Amino acid sequence: MYAGSAEFEEFLCEHLEKIKVDTDVFKEYVLGILQDESMSSSEKVEAVTDSLQIAVEDESLASLVPDLASQFVEKWVKEVEEVQKQIKLQEQEAALKDAVKASTPGSSTTTAASSRASAWDAAQDTAVKQRLLDQFAWQVDEVVDFDENGADMIRNSSKKETQSGPIADDMFRNDNRARVAAAHQMDRLRAKAQHEDEMRRRAEQKKQEALKKEKEKQRVAKKERRAGR
């Protein structure tokens, strides 16, 4: 049986003092009525009202009793419902923990299945890498270089020989020296492209200037012919 919280007891005593009754006596009396699970809420309100009205000596305060009785019962019902709700949640959490513990032995099966899936993914990844190497791997024998004018000096490359079987451990290993060499190579290619663009731009500019001079020459000649007529 729920005995009530300290907060409810304080609330009850505070309101009993308003109607000037013995709080120690009537507190226990009212709590006894509220704790009676065989009574409905309306019956509890009626029982509390009858008990307190007899004890109240001041007629002006007696009119407050029915409203106070309703407040006592309403607050009590809400508090009991909240306590029952908390108890239910605790029971559900306990049941969930028990269910988790019961399912623990089967977790090894899940782990084994996950390990098999990981092994399968690794094998598939290795196979894909091998196919990519077989199809696209090239080995540069000599680095492409250019002279001071940007012309090609050396260019020689050959298809990388692939081998059957597992891929070498260092096949996909990072190589800083190779990266630096590749970066320098890209810089040289970029410089060559810029040089070629500049040469084309200058050639186009000279062509436009020559065309402009030719048009001006023709315009002057035409003007002179008209003046000589």
Side-chain angles (χ1 to χ4, degrees), residues 110-169:
T110 303
T111 303
S114 178
S115 299
R116 289 194 296 271
S118 298
W120 169 259
D121 292 341
Q124 292 295 310
D125 187 50
T126 301
V128 170
K129 289 179 180 178
Q130 185 64 58
R131 288 198 299 271
L132 289 173
L133 283 174
D134 293 341
Q135 185 174 1
F136 299 108
W138 287 81
Q139 180 178 4
V140 178
D141 297 328
E142 295 179 346
V143 178
V144 177
D145 206 349
F146 308 95
D147 58 19
E148 59 183 4
N149 295 323
D152 295 359
M153 293 177 62
I154 301 174
R155 176 175 293 164
N156 186 16
S157 62
S158 60
K159 186 73 166 61
K160 180 177 177 64
E161 295 295 332
T162 58
Q163 57 182 4
S164 59
I167 301 176
D169 293 338

Side-chain angles (χ1 to χ4, degrees), residues 1-25:
M1 181 183 296
Y2 180 61
S5 65
E7 180 185 356
F8 181 84
E9 185 174 337
E10 182 180 355
F11 169 82
L12 181 59
C13 292
E14 179 182 347
H15 285 75
L16 289 175
E17 289 176 355
K18 291 181 179 180
I19 56 176
K20 298 180 180 181
V21 296
D22 190 334
T23 56
D24 292 334
V25 174

Side-chain angles (χ1 to χ4, degrees), residues 19-22 26 49-58 65:
I19 56 176
K20 298 180 180 181
V21 296
D22 190 334
F26 285 93
T49 301
D50 293 340
S51 300
L52 293 178
Q53 281 183 334
I54 296 174
V56 175
E57 298 178 354
D58 190 340
V65 172

